[in-house]
Amino acid sequence: MALMNWSKDLEVNFPKVDDQHRSLVDIVNNLHDAMKLGKGRDEVGKVLHFLADYTTSHFKAEEELMTRHAYPEFSTHKQIHTELLKQVGDLVKQFDGGQAVLTLKVMSFLQEWLTKHIKVEDLKMASFLRTRVA
Ligand SMILES: [Fe+2]
Ligand SMILES: [Fe+2]
């Protein structure tokens, strides 16, 4: 069973951002599956690196939109992104260093983080962007 289900309440109604969030949810689910199905280290590592890269480019895309449209809460939002990227970066480092860091606890952390961030900060950002991009 998938860890996360995409549902309407995760939509922020800004298509480019919603598409990327859908992909993020897919990748988190793929990572969860790879772990649960006991896939080898290589396979799990590949998905983990892909998740880290995708998260980096997704945050960059949001930050570009916020900058371009002079979003007043840009620095707070960016700060939150930076903190998660640091945590994910640490996770990757630990994993690459041979530690078994991908526990179910980490997966639920990622799931909860993503859900909360989308429903709070990204929703706020998207509401603002919609007023700018008609
Ligand atoms: Fe986002
Ligand atoms: Fe965001």
Side-chain angles (χ1 to χ4, degrees):
M1 216 185 76
L3 177 74
M4 292 183 78
N5 287 305
W6 182 263
S7 62
K8 271 235 165 266
D9 63 337
L10 284 175
E11 272 168 24
V12 297
N13 293 307
F14 198 85
K16 182 183 167 183
V17 174
D18 281 328
D19 286 349
Q20 293 180 359
H21 287 161
R22 244 183 238 112
S23 301
L24 266 176
V25 167
D26 281 347
I27 305 165
V28 169
N29 280 329
N30 289 343
L31 183 58
H32 181 247
D33 287 347
M35 260 175 53
K36 260 187 63 181
L37 298 172
K39 296 270 170 135
R41 238 194 121 67
D42 284 1
E43 183 62 30
V44 174
K46 240 187 256 167
V47 186
L48 178 64
H49 278 268
F50 187 64
L51 176 65
D53 292 347
Y54 195 90
T55 305
T56 304
S57 56
H58 167 61
F59 286 176
K60 238 182 232 155
E62 283 190 356
E63 286 158 17
E64 227 174 80
L65 278 166
M66 290 188 273
T67 310
R68 196 187 318 151
H69 299 288
Y71 181 50
E73 292 180 52
F74 171 72
S75 65
T76 312
H77 197 134
K78 189 188 159 85
Q79 178 70 33
I80 296 168
H81 284 172
T82 305
E83 273 163 30
L84 183 83
L85 285 182
K86 196 192 165 298
Q87 281 174 292
V88 171
D90 287 346
L91 208 67
V92 172
K93 247 184 254 157
Q94 287 167 17
F95 182 88
D96 288 348
Q99 290 180 47
V101 286
L102 286 177
T103 57
L104 288 174
K105 213 167 119 197
V106 171
M107 292 312 303
S108 23
F109 161 76
L110 284 174
Q111 174 198 21
E112 275 159 31
W113 191 94
L114 198 59
T115 307
K116 186 176 158 269
H117 185 71
I118 291 175
K119 286 186 178 177
V120 181
E121 281 89 13
D122 287 349
L123 186 69
K124 224 194 287 174
M125 169 195 73
S127 310
F128 174 84
L129 290 176
R130 277 201 307 278
T131 68
R132 294 297 162 116
V133 190

